[in-house]
């Protein structure tokens, strides 16, 4: 498969899009008895209101708006974390990320001795066990070679980046080294990253369409993560590279609202190309399509009506867009206020595939089928923590417990989404219950200090991949 796709990936952007067509109105219909394909599209650092169907006012995202009109839009979707590696751990394992060292704190994904244990059951490995073809196109960020690799964690095909971010044109990471790969092989390829990932995703879905197996593709874009570069900013990319300073790629002196708009609308355009290719391949009527983000927005994002951004457990750091089109299951143009979270996708997809979770690694997430069909989910409490500023959070029903350093709060995030009115004195029983529930939950997770958990690639360790003492 890799060799075929490598040849196909050499096609131009225009050729990759040739022959695709917009999905005809009313063309989606369930296929009884067939297991669905799954296309999971993840944006990077996209805020809750960064799509026009979620309220963005200064630009439009017509293709993602169209996807929402053809499916269901969640209004209370949460990321498992306010930073990306931690959320990706929860997404791929279906469990709270704090159960694994790699999920404890963002910098761990850049340490050679920390990553997703290859033997841990994952969403792609469980689907593969159920007979699915699996591919990751885009961002991995769950550990470095040689110990950690998408191909060791259930994906049959990988094409993308291993680290947290790359320049959109040079494809160098923040350490200045190239970070674009076709499986184990480094790539030297010209083009804007968002376009290249879309091109390759189209090649993969066409390849999958020629096979009899159902398939799962994780398409993890880097947009709209920094550096702040539009498709017209190659000169700016070269300027940053010429500085010879890895810190320059963080682009602290760059960006604007207009730049951000161009990055998001380019992402919207490329998602549209992929959906057109899916329709043209005849697979759309039997494919679950999900579009969401890994955490709340950063510098130029719109998180209205919430406050807070990435790295904060305020709603703006956690609340994300989530759109699902599942023919025969989701009602076109519908919305749901069900409280969902990143780790729910694993049990949802595995159940849809007719598979089963590993009994020794039971998901903390829940199957979302009832909510996707327009119903409700059983009430549960969702938990978060983040070492920066000693943040803690828990949500149950309409109420949210929040701790930032030594300050504690209780908010009704339905009536007060900006989290302004602290109700802990008005509703002491609810506050005490949520604070105690958080403390009980926290004792079941790994300790916060990430330095205590390494698996010993350097010969120095106190615990294994899972944080178990050795």
């Amino acid at each position: 498969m890799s060799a075929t796709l490598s040849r196909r990936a050499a096609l131009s952007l225009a050729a990759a899009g040739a022959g695709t067509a917009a999905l005809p109105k009313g063309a989606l219909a369930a296929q009884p008895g067939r297991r669905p394909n799954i296309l999971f599209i993840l944006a990077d650092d996209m805020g809750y209101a960064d799509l026009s169907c979620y309220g963005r006012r200064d630009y439009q995202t017509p293709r993602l708006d169209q996807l929402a009109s053809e499916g269901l839009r969640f209004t209370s979707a949460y990321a498992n974390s306010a930073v990306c590696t931690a959320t990706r751990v929860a997404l791929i394992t279906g469990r709270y990320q704090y159960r694994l060292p790699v999920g404890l704190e963002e910098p761990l994904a850049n340490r050679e001795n920390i990553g997703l244990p290859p033997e841990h059951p994952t969403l792609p490995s469980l689907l593969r066990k159920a007979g699915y073809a699996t591919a990751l196109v885009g961002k991995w960020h769950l550990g470095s070679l040689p110990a950690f690799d998408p191909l060791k964690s259930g994906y049959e095909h990988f094409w993308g980046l291993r680290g947290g971010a790359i320049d959109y044109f040079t494809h160098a990471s923040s350490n200045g080294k190239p970070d674009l790969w076709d499986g184990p092989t480094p790539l030297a390829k010209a083009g804007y990253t968002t376009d290249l990932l879309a091109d390759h995703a189209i090649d993969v879905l066409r390849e999958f369409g020629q096979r009899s197996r159902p398939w799962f593709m994780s398409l993890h874009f880097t947009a709209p993560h920094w550096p702040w570069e539009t498709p017209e900013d190659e000169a700016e990319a070269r300027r940053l590279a010429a500085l010879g300073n890895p810190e320059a790629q963080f682009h602290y002196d760059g960006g604007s609202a207009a730049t951000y708009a161009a990055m998001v609308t380019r992402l919207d355009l490329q998602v549209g190309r992929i959906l057109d290719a899916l329709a043209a391949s005849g697979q759309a009527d039997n494919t679950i399509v999900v579009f969401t983000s890994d955490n709340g927005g950063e510098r130029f994002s719109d998180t209205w009506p919430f406050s807070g951004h990435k790295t904060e457990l305020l709603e703006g750091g956690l609340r994300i867009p989530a759109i699902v089109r599942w023919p025969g299951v989701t009602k076109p143009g519908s919305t749901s206020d069900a409280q969902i979270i990143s780790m729910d996708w694993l049990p949802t997809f595995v159940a849809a595939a007719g598979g089963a979770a590993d009994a020794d690694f039971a998901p903390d997430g829940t199957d979302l089928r009832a909510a996707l069909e327009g119903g409700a989910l059983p009430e549960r409490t969702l938990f978060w923590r983040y070492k920066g500023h000693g943040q803690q959070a828990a949500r149950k029903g309409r109420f949210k417990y929040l701790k930032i350093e030594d300050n504690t709060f209780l908010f009704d995030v339905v009536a007060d989404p900006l989290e302004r009115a602290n109700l802990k004195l008005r509703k002491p029983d609810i506050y005490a219950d949520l604070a105690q529930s958080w403390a009980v939950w926290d004792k079941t997770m790994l300790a916060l200090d990430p330095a205590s958990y390494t698996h010993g690639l350097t010969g120095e360790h106190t615990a294994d991949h899972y944080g178990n003492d050795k």
Side-chain angles (χ1 to χ4, degrees):
M1 177 174 177
S2 294
T4 301
L5 288 172
S6 294
R7 291 194 297 271
R8 291 189 172 199
L11 298 173
S12 67
L13 182 139
T20 62
L23 189 67
K25 185 176 181 180
L28 292 175
Q31 296 291 315
R34 292 173 59 195
R35 293 187 294 168
N37 306 312
I38 302 165
L39 173 58
F40 184 83
I41 307 173
L42 191 67
D44 200 341
D45 289 1
M46 176 172 280
Y48 177 83
D50 277 343
L51 303 180
S52 45
C53 60
Y54 276 89
R56 189 82 192 203
R57 293 152 288 182
D58 54 330
Y59 59 78
Q60 298 295 309
T61 52
R63 297 311 307 270
L64 285 162
D65 292 0
Q66 179 186 346
L67 183 67
S69 73
E70 296 167 349
L72 179 145
R73 182 171 60 89
F74 282 103
T75 59
S76 292
Y78 284 95
N80 258 77
S81 175
V83 291
C84 68
T85 291
T87 291
R88 291 161 198 268
V89 173
L91 169 66
I92 202 169
T93 65
R95 291 155 62 86
Y96 278 111
Q97 63 272 21
Y98 320 103
R99 296 186 182 279
L100 290 169
V102 67
L104 288 176
E105 198 77 20
E106 181 75 352
L108 292 185
N110 298 320
R111 287 168 49 177
E112 291 184 0
N113 60 340
I114 294 291
L116 179 68
E119 64 272 22
H120 195 295
T122 64
L123 173 55
S125 73
L126 293 170
L127 290 175
R128 190 171 175 180
K129 187 175 181 180
Y132 275 60
T134 60
L136 171 62
V137 178
K139 180 173 170 176
W140 166 243
H141 207 202
L142 294 175
S144 304
L145 290 172
F148 310 106
D149 184 78
L151 300 178
K152 295 181 179 181
S153 288
Y155 291 110
E156 295 172 298
H157 178 75
F158 166 60
W159 196 99
L161 61 152
R162 298 181 183 277
I166 54 176
D167 185 273
Y168 283 85
F169 291 95
T170 68
H171 312 133
S173 68
S174 56
N175 63 11
K177 298 179 180 179
D179 188 20
L180 190 62
W181 303 78
D182 182 352
T185 306
L187 286 176
K189 193 168 182 65
Y192 188 67
T193 299
T194 303
D195 299 348
L196 295 179
L197 295 177
D199 288 349
H200 196 74
I202 290 170
D203 290 336
V204 172
L205 72 85
R206 287 175 175 163
E207 181 82 6
F208 282 162
Q210 297 172 11
R211 302 180 173 204
S212 59
R213 295 166 66 192
W215 53 263
F216 166 65
M217 188 199 309
S218 265
L219 172 55
H220 297 181
F221 283 102
T222 58
H225 195 291
W226 52 259
W228 315 110
E229 295 170 354
T230 77
E232 310 304 320
D233 284 337
E234 186 168 3
E236 177 66 3
R238 302 300 173 188
R239 184 191 72 83
L240 293 175
L243 292 176
N245 176 11
E247 287 289 307
Q249 197 208 30
F250 291 94
H251 219 173
Y252 295 122
D253 63 343
S256 66
T259 297
Y260 191 79
M263 295 172 74
V264 175
T265 54
R266 186 65 162 212
L267 173 62
D268 180 74
L269 180 150
Q270 295 298 356
V271 170
R273 286 184 61 235
I274 293 162
L275 295 177
D276 288 347
L278 182 67
S281 73
Q283 301 177 86
D285 62 351
N286 195 47
T287 301
I288 302 168
V289 178
V290 175
F291 179 89
T292 188
S293 180
D294 60 349
N295 47 251
E298 205 192 342
R299 198 170 314 176
F300 301 104
S301 291
D302 188 347
T303 62
W304 183 261
F306 313 114
S307 60
H309 289 84
K310 180 180 178 178
T311 75
E312 299 174 334
L313 299 189
L314 291 158
E315 291 292 282
L318 295 171
R319 201 81 76 97
I320 51 176
I323 300 169
V324 184
R325 187 183 76 191
W326 185 347
V329 175
T330 55
K331 180 182 177 181
S334 60
T335 61
S336 172
D337 63 358
Q339 295 162 33
I340 71 168
I341 194 167
S342 309
M343 62 187 178
D344 293 336
W345 297 115
L346 181 146
T348 303
F349 294 156
V350 170
D358 189 300
D360 293 329
F361 297 89
D364 294 315
T366 191
D367 184 350
L368 299 176
R369 179 71 179 249
L372 294 169
E373 291 176 337
L377 297 177
E379 187 174 75
R380 56 179 169 163
T381 306
L382 302 176
F383 300 100
W384 298 268
R385 70 183 193 194
Y386 189 70
K387 188 174 182 181
H389 301 289
Q391 296 177 79
Q392 305 171 1
R395 180 172 177 184
K396 182 179 181 181
R398 62 191 300 131
F399 292 102
K400 178 181 174 184
Y401 158 75
L402 180 67
K403 181 177 184 292
I404 303 175
E405 295 183 339
D406 295 326
N407 304 301
T408 58
F409 310 88
L410 178 71
F411 297 114
D412 178 342
V413 292
V414 175
D416 177 27
L418 282 170
E419 296 172 282
R420 294 292 190 257
N422 189 358
L423 304 178
K424 73 175 185 178
L425 298 181
R426 287 179 178 262
K427 299 183 180 294
D429 293 345
I430 296 176
Y431 169 80
D433 176 66
L434 278 174
Q436 178 62 22
S437 294
W438 188 94
V440 170
W441 164 83
D442 184 56
K443 291 179 180 178
T444 68
M445 301 293 129
L446 293 180
L448 267 174
D449 182 8
S452 298
Y453 302 99
T454 62
H455 75 41
L457 285 180
T458 62
E460 298 177 4
H461 65 278
T462 58
D464 63 15
H465 285 304
Y466 305 100
N468 300 316
D469 291 335
K470 296 182 71 175

